[in-house]
Structure formats: structure tokens, C-alpha cells
Amino acid sequence: MIQVAVVGATGYTGVELVRLLARHPQVDVTAVTSRQYEGQRLDMVFPSLRGFCDLTCEELTPEELGQRAQLVFTALPHKTAMNFVPGLLRAGCRVVDLSADYRLRDQAVYEAWYQSHSSPQLLDEAVYGLPELYREQIRPARLVANPGCYPTSVALALAPLLRAGLIDPASLIIDSKSGASGAGRSAKTASLFCEVNEGFKAYAVANHRHTPEIEQTLSQLAGCAVLVNFTPHLLPVNRGILSTCYAQRCGTVDEAGLRRVVADFYQDEPFIRLCPAGDWPNTAYVQGSNHVDIGLALDPRTGRVILVSAIDNLVKGAAGQAVQNMNLMLGFEETAGLDLVPLFP
């Protein structure tokens, strides 16, 4: 059994990590940290964990965590993570970081969208943790930057056709919708029940912080600089992301040919499911799982390709992908602890 710890275990992502790790056959969760709930048992904060985790929330230094765990998940806010991760690496831990602090390769881009970076020396070392695209780089990594939820849904929808040169990277328009848990567990007026229920709105239009992360991955896939129009929306549901991506087709390949390219690209991927022609992803059909459902159509009138993806933002969009990355880093079966049938209804 490998000893692992979760730093920031009382946020939505942190508790989802503990839920998944509790059933993992090859790891033992030895520490959970929380400043707000220090001294309280995690299963008292989250009764859903009764019988699965009886650990007490602690506030531990990186050095102390290094004595308790070989791999650490940092489910901390941006800025906080960058001040904590270097100490974990010095303590000999391998790290899967779920903040945005190490996702962007360019320090200037990060600082333009977030804040000043206190450990930029790690940006070149950190591996972007999207297994379907960077599996071999993830395996030996000391530090994996777990992708954001929106970028995961977008990159996996567009990757096959972008890499094959079958869609125009200059034409990309991305329309995404997320459940309220994507905003985190901290109390915010915009996330209150009466603010979200029975409503539907766009937010962070033209300036969402996931935009440069999306562009970074799509640029690598396309082999050229890519700029996108990305507009997120807030759904009155707890979980799920649905991303609809529009792109102009290159060449004359028909819809069946496009579908073959996507199917071939993902044929050995355990968590990617290509919907049958005429069938479309639904966040309800991936809830609670690490799956990604992808649908595709070609609009013959406009020549535009329409790709739709659905993920659970807390699983494939965060904690599940983090466990998938851990499995690769530790040499486990990639699906270990993640063989979850989606919840429905």
C-alpha cells in the first residue's frame, strides 16, 4: 500500500478525492488537512464518509506530510498552492496539484491572468496532467499539474480533429456550461441557492481564467498559436460540464470520416465514450464517474463541425483525473479506483 495525503480535504474537490481514494485497492490515505476544520474528524464534516474515513483534519507542514505520505494531492486555492508545493517536493513527496498554479508554461501569461508566481522555477518541470494526451510524460513526473475542468472538456473534444488538421484552429468557438460546484465550497453570493436556482447565465465573458489554459493545449495540438472565443455559463445543477465546440471543417471529409478519426484516436482510452451518430452527451450520464462522453455532427449548410462533450466537473474535471494521474505516476492500473458506473438519475 502506498501512503497518500490530501491537502485541502474539506473543499468539494478534496472530499471527492477522499471518496475515490477510500475505495482504491493500492493506497492508504494517511493524512487530510484543513485549516478551517482542524481537529474535527472528516466524517463529521462530511457524514457521507462514515465508515470510509475516520481521519482527523490537521494543519500540517510540508515536512510533516513528507513523513506521512509518498504522494500528496494539493487541493488548495491558487496562490496558496504555489507556496506549499515546493516544500512537499523538498520533503521527497510526489505531488498532484489541483490548482492552476503550475498549468501554464509561461510565467508572464500566468501572472497576466492570475497573480505573481512565487515558485516559477517549477513551471518547466510540472507536467500537464491530461492522461489521454500526455500519458508518457506523466509517469515519471515529480509534479503533475491537474487540468482545469473546462479545459479538460474542451481539449478532449477537439484533440483528435485538431491534431489531424481536419478543423481550422482559427475558427474555434467554445460554449460551456457548468454546475454550481465548479465555483467551490466557499460561501459566495453568486452561488447561493436563490441566485442559482431557476436561472441560467453567462459569466466571466471574454475573460475567464481557463482561457489561456485552453489555448495552450489547443496550440500544442494544432502546432500553431490558437486563440479561442470561450464563454462559460452557470447551470442550476450541482455537478457536470457540457461543452459545445464549433469549428470550420478543413477539406471535404464527411461526418462518417470525422467520426472514424475520433473513434480511432480514442479506441484504447478507458474513459472516453463516443456517442452513436444522432446521440448526444448529457451530464446526467457521466455523473459521479471519470468518463467523458463526446458527440459529433457536421453541419452541411455551414461546413462547421460541432463537437459536444460532457464530464463530471468534480471527477474527470478534478479529483478523478487526479487519481488517474496518480495511478500513472505510481505504476498502478490506470483505472484503479475509478471503475465507477455513472449515477443516473
Side-chain angles (χ1 to χ4, degrees), residues 104-250:
L104 298 176
R105 302 274 69 81
D106 189 323
Q107 180 183 351
V109 172
Y110 177 88
E111 292 182 345
W113 289 83
Y114 290 90
Q115 63 269 313
S116 60
H117 207 297
S118 62
S119 54
Q121 71 279 6
L122 293 175
L123 293 177
D124 286 339
E125 178 182 353
V127 174
Y128 192 64
L130 195 55
E132 289 78 9
L133 301 182
Y134 305 110
R135 182 173 284 112
E136 296 311 313
Q137 295 96 313
I138 292 166
R139 294 187 197 277
R142 278 199 315 162
L143 171 60
V144 168
N146 213 61
C149 49
Y150 283 128
T152 294
S153 69
V154 171
L156 293 176
L158 292 171
L161 300 186
L162 259 185
R163 185 167 282 177
L166 294 174
I167 52 177
D168 178 4
S171 68
L172 298 176
I173 297 174
I174 299 159
D175 181 295
S176 295
K177 293 94 173 171
S178 174
S181 59
R185 193 164 179 251
S186 300
K188 306 179 187 74
T189 299
S191 301
L192 294 173
F193 178 82
C194 288
E195 302 289 329
V196 175
N197 187 48
E198 297 187 22
F200 179 47
K201 67 178 182 180
Y203 69 98
V205 177
N207 62 7
H208 193 280
R209 286 175 166 181
H210 282 176
T211 303
E213 184 182 343
I214 292 170
E215 292 176 343
Q216 175 179 270
T217 305
L218 299 186
S219 296
Q220 291 172 347
L221 289 163
C224 62
V226 173
L227 296 177
V228 301
N229 286 120
F230 168 60
T231 305
H233 302 74
L234 179 62
L235 289 169
V237 299
N238 291 341
R239 292 172 177 254
I241 284 179
L242 190 82
S243 288
T244 304
C245 308
Y246 303 89
Q248 197 70 30
R249 175 182 57 171
C250 294

Side-chain angles (χ1 to χ4, degrees), residues 3-76:
Q3 295 177 323
V4 302
V6 178
V7 176
T10 54
Y12 287 139
T13 297
V15 71
E16 192 75 351
L17 271 167
V18 176
R19 178 181 78 89
L20 296 173
L21 294 168
R23 66 183 305 277
H24 196 290
Q26 293 166 283
V27 303
D28 183 20
V29 181
T30 55
V32 292
T33 81
S34 172
R35 181 175 299 172
Q36 181 178 0
Y37 294 98
E38 183 182 9
Q40 297 185 46
R41 276 179 42 151
L42 190 62
D43 60 358
M44 295 297 290
V45 181
F46 295 102
S48 60
L49 294 176
R50 287 175 186 157
F52 295 98
C53 180
D54 60 1
L55 292 173
T56 297
C57 297
E58 303 176 78
E59 192 169 354
L60 300 171
T61 66
E63 294 72 25
E64 290 169 327
L65 284 162
Q67 299 298 313
R68 305 261 291 269
Q70 294 148 283
L71 185 141
V72 177
F73 297 93
T74 47
L76 294 170

